Amino acid sequence: MARARAYETPGWTRNLIRASRVEAGERVVVLVDEPLVEEGSQLLAALRDVGAAPRLELWTGQRPLAHAPPAVMEALRDASLLLFLTQAPRGDEASARFETSEGLTKRGGRTIFLGFVDSELLEGELSKPGVDLAEPAKRLLAEVEGSREAHVRGGAGTDLVLRVEGRPWLTDALPLRAGEVANYPSGEIFVAPHADGADGVLVADVTVPYTVEGRVDEPVTMRFERGHAVSIEGGRAAQMLRELVADAGRGADVIAELGIGFNPTVTPRGHVMLDEKAAGTAHVAIGRNTGSYGGDNEAEIHVDCVFSDPQVTVDGRPIQLP
């Protein structure tokens, strides 16, 4: 009689457990949307195997959600770690998603968020061994620390000046600590510019989430004046972004973030959670940047617009990007 093959813990669950620094006995909330219920159960089992006390919750309700589901917020009261996976995040639910992580981090909890992920991505790219990016992250942070102004250019035409004085530069590439939020995989430094501190043009030639599937159909050109996006031009992706911003209302057109990717193992492919980490890319976001981002602009959306071949100077000094 053939022996049953032993169950092997999926690689992506091991990577998340390692990245989130799960401790034995720790109360963990695993939050998924409906397409990822099976994967949520796999993560739940892996967490139990390492001695954690996990609980599975579902991101569901009358869409779009203005607030996180009550059952989720109830579960988070006793938790110190949130692992949030969603295959189909909505652009108009960013505020509700922020609600989950901000409530937890204010109490010293930790969050890892994975958006636009499916079983193929989890079992493939996200199951590969992670890479330690702590040293390049520390070097980049040392170069930008205390800067007042960032000037970013891109190969497709980006030429944008951002006022960042007094705002902390952060990274997701150092070990996750109490009160922090990160994505997986890691590989960026980022900062929240002042709400009136963006002037120039952004040309997103790689990815703009919540618009077309995959890479943009043609570059999306956004012009900023005193922190606000005053025009959004291009093809279908630009049209969809204009509609998203208009529907989201106040604060949606405001500069939110500058992020610089430096993960050498990631190749841009039209998936924002990967593309924004890739070495040779940067991204500028509009919308909400409160909480873990270090800003003060409230909005119903947060949209990262990824572009290629960035060149960055801070206070007139060029930054050596990996």
Side-chain angles (χ1 to χ4, degrees), residues 80-286:
S80 55
L81 174 62
L82 169 64
L83 300 175
F84 190 172
L85 287 70
T86 171
Q87 180 171 316
R90 292 180 56 130
D92 52 7
E93 291 183 346
S95 182
R97 290 194 297 271
F98 273 65
E99 189 176 10
T100 62
S101 59
E102 289 182 1
L104 187 62
T105 55
K106 285 178 181 177
R107 296 188 287 101
R110 314 181 309 286
T111 297
I112 289 186
F113 175 74
L114 285 80
F116 300 99
V117 294
D118 55 21
S119 59
E120 180 179 357
L121 185 63
L122 290 169
E123 294 167 8
E125 182 79 17
L126 298 185
S127 284
K128 295 178 181 178
V131 58
D132 186 354
L133 297 171
E135 289 309 312
K138 291 176 182 177
R139 179 182 66 78
L140 286 171
L141 288 178
E143 289 196 56
V144 299
E145 183 180 6
S147 54
R148 300 182 301 277
E149 182 180 273
H151 187 181
V152 57
R153 299 179 178 89
T158 292
D159 191 349
L160 193 59
V161 177
L162 305 168
R163 186 165 61 87
V164 298
E165 185 174 6
R167 292 290 169 86
W169 286 83
L170 305 167
T171 184
D172 62 359
L174 297 177
L176 189 65
R177 300 177 301 181
E180 293 185 339
V181 179
N183 303 136
Y184 189 87
S186 65
E188 66 169 295
I189 63 168
F190 58 96
V191 66
H194 290 272
D196 61 352
D199 291 280
V201 61
L202 164 70
V203 183
D205 60 327
V206 180
T207 313
V208 178
Y210 313 114
T211 62
V212 297
E213 185 174 351
R215 297 179 71 123
V216 293
D217 56 323
E218 62 180 86
V220 175
T221 300
M222 304 177 64
R223 299 188 183 279
F224 285 87
E225 294 179 4
R226 296 187 56 80
H228 291 260
V230 296
S231 68
I232 303 174
E233 301 171 346
R236 175 64 177 156
Q239 177 186 341
M240 296 176 73
L241 182 58
R242 282 196 303 271
E243 293 170 355
L244 179 62
V245 170
D247 290 344
R250 185 173 182 177
D253 64 345
V254 174
I255 190 74
E257 177 193 8
L258 167 64
I260 303 167
F262 56 91
N263 189 324
T265 70
V266 175
T267 302
R269 70 201 62 193
H271 188 294
V272 66
M273 295 292 288
L274 297 175
D275 297 356
E276 69 177 8
K277 311 297 181 181
T281 72
H283 55 280
V284 167
I286 54 173

Side-chain angles (χ1 to χ4, degrees), residues 65-66 90-96 248 250-252 288 298-302:
L65 296 176
R90 292 180 56 130
D92 52 7
E93 291 183 346
S95 182
R250 185 173 182 177
R288 185 166 180 161
E298 298 283 355
E300 292 300 314
I301 63 172
H302 176 96

